[in-house]
Amino acid sequence: MNSIDLKVNHYDFSDELFENLSSNHFAKDLWPVVYILSNYKTKVAYVGETTDVYSRMSTHLKNREKSKLTSVHLLAGEKFNKSATLDIESNLIKYMSGDNVFRLLNVNLGLANHNYYQKKEVYWNIFNSLWNLLRSEGIAKHSLEYIANSDLFKYSPYKSLSKDQTISIVEILGSLITEGFSNIIVEGGAGTGKTILAIFLFKLLSSHHEDLNFEEFGEDEKLVYELANQLINEQSLNKMALVVPMSSFRKTLKKVFKNIKGLNQSMVIGPSEVSKEKYDLLVVDEAHRLRRRVNLTNYKSFDDGCKRLGLNKYNCSELDWILLQSKQSILFYDEGQSIKPTDTPKEKFDSLKLKDKTILLKLKSQFRVKGGNAYVEFVDSLLFNTTQPHKFDFKNYEFLLFDKIEDMITQIKKRNAEIGLSRLIAGFSWKWKSKNDKSLKDIKIENTELMWNSTPDDWINSKNSIDEVGCIHTTQGYDLNYAGVIFGNEISYDFFRNEIVIKPENYHDKNGKNTIDDVNILKEYIVNIYKTIMLRGIKGTYIYVCDSNLKKYFNSHIPKFESKRLSETLGFKYENIIPFENALPFYDLKVAAGDFSDQQNPNSRKWIGLPYDVKPSKELFICQVVGESMNKVIPNGSYCLFKKYTGGSRNGQIVLVECNEIQDPDFGSSYTVKEYFSKKSIDENGWKHQSIVLKPLSNDEGYKNIVLENDQLSSFRVIGTFESVIQ
């Protein structure tokens, strides 16, 4: 289904709506539809689906909150069915909440995962086309890819729960109402969904249950409803908070809570706030980062908290604050992510686990890393059981060892240009010189100089992060698409003992090693750091190793990046050309006028060796994109793969276009590469373009939209759609 088959009809949300719907056959014939109710002034919206538009709209008009909305956007298509509309409704709720154009009135929790005929093959494409239509009409703003990388989307409680996550919710709810139990420790490694479960639980316990659709829990519907009702009715939960020890991540989650109906940012607090008042329920994310009075940068704040609670500041921790100030607590905990002496010792948690009032639950499934539990087990084996690891070989996860730091930086920047959220992270093997002098570089490897993160707050999403190196403190708790991990000179390998060893003199986190006399304890912290940052990358992890012994050890177990593999193919090919089998045509956009004809003699073209990861096709060609107008996605001078445009929706896609009316400041010719949006009108002869907007995606705000209207459209054509940067 393309955008022509989809219908988005707009109506005023008033009593006159029903008369206006009389000409809409989807509404008259009880067709499954999806709808959006909105108010552009207040930026509030509601998403729903129904087979009876008249009845549903009548109900909404009588609702106190929804009656304040002013517009109805009815989304329909000939291929819509009940399963499809449920899926589209769920996706709209997820992506509109992440798009942040409207604040949603929906309190629906994430739909339980369910499959139906052609869900992936057909209906995801339908949703893509539908989303682009909504973008063209101003109802949505960002691309699906952009939203998927945003924190609002990643930590949204509207996302679907897996079967394992639903089981965990049932276990947590059941534990909270179990008489005699006050503490729940939920153990789970990096990427097991601890934060998502914490936020989902807050949403569940903060919403009116008559507004929730518990059918979304599938076979667990009745059980979840009964447990949640019993918990709210029989136990007072008027005062709840999510405690986040890490300040940077706490600010991120405050933004998330601010944009979710039923939640607010005041529910997300730091440990110091715990010492000031009592709570019915405290949920602690990353509980292993709760502090004690060792190597603190601010002793006064900790001492004041202990004084308020009448605790001995020398032998207590923020874990004691949590237990003292809450009737019930839920602690999401991973001992493997404790990374410095400031953290509450493992022994404190072990002691709590043995208490009669404590329930212990475990999360096992890996939700972040596409390599799954097998990759996590491999990392454990590589770092801890060093005589056991095999050669890594998982086809669904990109895990590579680099010989040259320049190659890894290039690949990280390439991945960032393609899909975003790809960053460099390193261990503390270099001093932070640039903290007080931004002209200095901190890290020198081979001939490359790099800087540590220039901000401690939300560094991953900061403007300069792609050109900097993050550390454990600026990445713990966050997701990346690709992580480029630099193993510094503080970690090595002893082939005589067959184990990883550390070099304390090369470890430069003062608060991470002061007061530690036992080298084995310091080793545990350092190895935990590397394990944690190796589990940041959703799609892949790249490794560079400074120490020669450790590199030799890793080389036996991690596939190597073949740096020449692509660069050798990306060159002009003059002999033994087999068009579209071992080579693709290259077009120089500065001199390409009229050069895209299918009738052109192949021998008169320039050809480039087929990139190794590209499937041969006569629909593909290569161009070099120059200039900075698309540098958020396409770095200046990149060779890019395009696919010939043969029809279908182009909205929201990056395209190569030709138009005599265009004078691109970078190309200087009638060609340009931009993100495409169009506005259409419909009359008795069908639809036609009203205007086309070609949008730059640049960090340089000097680049402006190219807008084509009326007669300018006659010479306009889309030549190809952007596939990827190949170098």
Side-chain angles (χ1 to χ4, degrees):
M1 179 184 287
N2 58 39
S3 59
I4 300 174
D5 301 314
L6 294 169
K7 303 291 183 184
V8 181
N9 296 119
H10 311 281
Y11 306 95
D12 290 335
F13 189 47
S14 64
D15 290 332
E16 287 74 38
L17 169 65
F18 303 102
E19 182 179 344
N20 295 330
L21 285 173
S22 61
S23 61
N24 188 306
H25 94 86
F26 294 107
K28 287 192 303 178
D29 298 340
L30 301 180
W31 203 266
V33 299
V34 182
Y35 59 88
I36 301 170
L37 306 180
S38 69
N39 186 321
Y40 280 95
K41 288 185 178 179
T42 61
K43 293 297 181 183
V44 174
Y46 177 84
V47 179
E49 66 82 34
T50 185
T51 55
D52 189 343
V53 176
Y54 288 90
S55 176
R56 186 64 58 84
M57 293 302 121
S58 178
T59 301
H60 288 330
L61 280 168
K62 296 173 184 176
N63 180 278
R64 183 176 60 85
E65 274 193 300
K66 298 187 183 92
S67 63
K68 297 176 183 177
L69 303 176
T70 57
S71 300
V72 181
H73 315 283
L74 206 61
L75 288 54
E78 298 293 341
K79 289 188 178 180
F80 276 26
N81 56 54
K82 186 65 174 178
S83 290
T85 54
L86 284 169
D87 196 34
I88 291 169
E89 177 199 34
S90 174
N91 279 323
L92 276 177
I93 291 171
K94 288 189 293 186
Y95 283 96
M96 285 184 71
S97 68
D99 195 31
N100 203 26
V101 173
F102 293 97
R103 186 170 184 267
L104 295 185
L105 290 177
N106 292 75
V107 293
N108 291 49
L109 297 167
L111 285 172
N113 284 324
H114 64 282
N115 273 316
Y116 57 91
Y117 180 60
Q118 292 187 321
K119 176 179 179 179
K120 294 181 179 178
E121 298 87 346
V122 174
Y123 287 96
W124 177 249
N125 291 331
I126 288 176
F127 181 72
N128 264 281
S129 297
L130 185 60
W131 185 260
N132 286 330
L133 280 175
L134 295 177
R135 289 179 76 188
S136 69
E137 299 186 14
I139 300 169
K141 182 178 180 180
H142 299 96
S143 69
L144 296 177
E145 294 78 11
Y146 175 90
I147 295 169
N149 284 335
S150 72
D151 292 326
L152 287 178
F153 182 82
K154 288 179 182 297
Y155 302 111
S156 167
Y158 296 119
K159 295 174 73 174
S160 302
L161 290 186
S162 70
K163 182 63 177 177
D164 286 349
Q165 288 174 315
T166 300
I167 291 172
S168 297
I169 286 291
V170 171
E171 289 180 332
I172 291 170
L173 292 175
S175 300
L176 284 173
I177 63 174
T178 300
E179 188 174 351
F181 289 93
S182 55
N183 307 308
I184 303 169
I185 296 179
V186 185
E187 290 189 308
T192 52
K194 299 186 293 296
T195 302
I196 286 293
L197 285 179
I199 296 173
F200 193 94
L201 185 65
F202 263 86
K203 177 68 173 171
L204 180 63
L205 297 178
S206 302
S207 301
H208 296 294
H209 284 185
E210 60 269 20
D211 293 332
L212 293 175
N213 180 4
F214 284 88
E215 292 178 4
E216 297 161 355
F217 288 97
E219 62 187 34
D220 297 302
E221 170 194 351
K222 185 177 180 181
L223 179 58
V224 174
Y225 178 80
E226 290 176 349
L227 288 172
N229 257 356
Q230 185 178 347
L231 184 60
I232 289 177
N233 293 333
E234 296 182 9
Q235 294 177 240
S236 174
L237 293 177
N238 297 320
K239 189 74 172 175
M240 299 190 304
L242 175 64
V243 183
V244 183
M246 298 173 296
S247 62
S248 175
F249 195 46
R250 183 163 64 246
K251 291 179 181 178
T252 296
L253 293 189
K254 277 182 174 290
K255 293 177 185 176
V256 173
F257 272 51
K258 182 180 179 180
N259 287 281
I260 298 173
K261 179 178 169 55
L263 305 181
N264 60 72
Q265 60 181 342
S266 65
M267 290 178 167
V268 182
I269 65 174
S272 63
E273 295 171 78
V274 171
S275 67
K276 298 175 183 178
E277 53 186 316
K278 295 279 188 177
Y279 292 84
D280 298 310
L281 175 65
L282 287 176
V283 180
V284 186
D285 192 28
E286 311 280 357
H288 39 272
R289 298 307 314 276
L290 292 169
R291 303 174 305 164
R292 59 173 172 163
R293 199 184 191 277
V294 177
N295 293 4
L296 291 176
T297 55
N298 184 0
Y299 286 101
K300 185 179 185 304
S301 175
F302 185 87
D303 292 350
D304 288 345
C306 292
K307 185 177 181 180
R308 278 192 290 269
L309 298 175
L311 296 173
N312 184 329
K313 62 186 179 183
Y314 295 109
N315 60 17
C316 78
S317 70
E318 289 172 344
L319 175 61
D320 297 302
W321 301 7
I322 300 292
L323 302 178
L324 190 62
Q325 293 294 86
S326 61
K327 293 179 183 177
Q328 292 182 300
S329 68
I330 303 173
L331 305 162
F332 288 95
Y333 173 67
D334 177 16
E335 67 178 68
Q337 291 193 66
S338 178
I339 58 165
K340 58 195 304 186
T342 302
D343 297 340
T344 297
K346 173 180 177 293
E347 292 74 23
K348 283 260 189 181
F349 286 95
D350 290 341
S351 176
L352 181 60
K353 291 176 190 178
L354 297 175
K355 291 185 180 295
D356 293 337
K357 291 186 176 182
T358 300
I359 292 177
L360 183 63
L361 303 176
K362 289 184 180 292
L363 303 175
K364 296 180 181 178
S365 296
Q366 174 60 227
F367 295 107
R368 176 189 293 132
V369 177
K370 296 297 184 184
N373 289 342
Y375 173 72
V376 177
E377 291 167 4
F378 175 83
V379 171
D380 274 334
S381 181
L382 184 73
L383 298 179
F384 297 100
N385 303 315
T386 53
T387 59
Q388 299 298 320
H390 50 81
K391 191 84 170 183
F392 181 88
D393 185 22
F394 297 114
K395 295 180 180 178
N396 59 341
Y397 195 72
E398 194 173 359
F399 187 48
L400 296 171
L401 180 66
F402 285 73
D403 281 334
K404 295 183 178 180
I405 189 67
E406 294 90 343
D407 286 340
M408 188 170 84
I409 294 170
T410 298
Q411 291 303 306
I412 284 293
K413 289 188 174 182
K414 177 183 174 183
R415 295 290 176 257
N416 191 64
E418 293 171 352
I419 59 173
L421 281 184
S422 302
R423 300 289 184 269
L424 297 172
I425 319 171
F428 285 104
S429 194
W430 297 270
K431 295 179 180 179
W432 192 4
K433 302 174 186 176
S434 63
K435 181 179 182 180
N436 299 315
D437 186 348
K438 299 300 181 185
S439 67
L440 298 177
K441 300 290 186 180
D442 305 294
I443 300 168
K444 183 171 183 180
I445 303 172
E446 300 169 3
N447 295 319
T448 299
E449 292 185 328
L450 299 163
M451 289 179 66
W452 281 119
N453 43 263
S454 56
T455 176
D457 295 332
D458 199 22
W459 169 76
I460 281 174
N461 298 305
S462 66
K463 181 179 179 180
N464 299 320
S465 56
I466 187 58
D467 295 313
E468 298 172 347
V469 181
C471 64
I472 183 64
H473 303 308
T474 52
T475 56
Q476 193 169 18
Y478 288 90
D479 292 347
L480 294 171
N481 286 321
Y482 282 85
V485 178
I486 302 172
F487 279 74
N489 289 302
E490 87 282 23
I491 186 167
S492 183
Y493 190 81
D494 188 323
F495 284 98
F496 180 76
R497 292 170 10 196
N498 286 322
E499 65 176 55
I500 284 177
V501 295
I502 62 165
K503 300 176 180 178
E505 67 275 13
N506 294 330
Y507 188 61
H508 294 291
D509 183 3
K510 292 181 179 178
N511 292 326
K513 72 175 182 179
N514 287 350
T515 73
I516 297 179
D517 298 321
D518 187 339
V519 71
N520 291 314
I521 294 176
L522 181 60
K523 174 184 172 180
E524 185 176 338
Y525 285 134
I526 291 174
V527 175
N528 279 351
I529 287 173
Y530 281 108
K531 177 187 174 181
T532 301
I533 60 180
M534 287 178 74
L535 299 178
R536 297 297 100 196
I538 297 170
K539 297 176 181 292
T541 299
Y542 298 153
I543 302 292
Y544 178 85
V545 182
C546 294
D547 180 83
S548 58
N549 276 7
L550 188 64
K551 179 182 285 190
K552 183 178 178 181
Y553 164 63
F554 276 10
N555 193 46
S556 301
H557 304 291
I558 305 174
K560 289 185 68 173
F561 171 76
E562 298 178 28
S563 59
K564 295 182 179 180
R565 197 172 178 186
L566 182 58
S567 61
E568 285 179 348
T569 62
L570 197 61
F572 293 125
K573 191 175 178 69
Y574 299 102
E575 298 178 353
N576 302 318
I577 294 172
I578 307 177
F580 305 107
E581 289 190 22
N582 66 4
L584 292 176
F586 169 80
Y587 299 102
D588 186 340
L589 295 179
K590 289 189 175 181
V591 296
D595 199 31
F596 290 90
S597 169
D598 289 333
Q599 286 75 40
Q600 186 183 25
N601 181 354
N603 293 326
S604 67
R605 294 176 177 169
K606 286 185 176 181
W607 294 85
I608 281 181
L610 188 70
Y612 72 91
D613 55 352
V614 175
K615 184 178 180 180
S617 170
K618 291 185 178 181
E619 302 300 311
L620 299 176
F621 61 92
I622 295 171
C623 294
Q624 186 178 26
V625 177
V626 297
E628 302 293 345
S629 67
M630 295 296 290
N631 61 20
K632 286 185 177 180
V633 177
I634 305 173
N636 184 7
S638 297
Y639 286 81
C640 298
L641 189 68
F642 289 86
K643 185 177 182 180
K644 290 182 181 178
Y645 174 69
T646 56
S649 174
R650 297 157 291 189
N651 266 328
Q653 296 190 58
I654 295 173
V655 295
L656 166 63
V657 302
E658 178 184 24
C659 182
N660 294 333
E661 303 293 332
I662 294 174
Q663 283 297 314
D664 187 288
D666 287 329
F667 293 106
S669 66
S670 57
Y671 292 93
T672 190
V673 176
K674 298 287 183 289
E675 189 172 33
Y676 176 102
F677 297 94
S678 70
K679 191 173 184 179
K680 301 171 185 175
S681 60
I682 301 176
D683 56 27
E684 64 276 6
N685 298 317
W687 66 267
K688 63 180 180 180
H689 289 298
Q690 277 186 314
S691 65
I692 291 172
V693 178
L694 301 174
K695 180 181 177 183
L697 298 175
S698 178
N699 292 313
D700 183 347
E701 296 180 358
Y703 287 94
K704 304 300 180 185
N705 291 346
I706 298 173
V707 181
L708 302 174
E709 297 176 315
N710 303 322
D711 294 341
Q712 294 174 310
L713 299 174
S714 61
S715 64
F716 173 88
R717 68 171 178 142
V718 175
I719 294 169
T721 55
F722 170 77
E723 293 287 301
S724 67
V725 173
I726 58 174
Q727 184 162 302

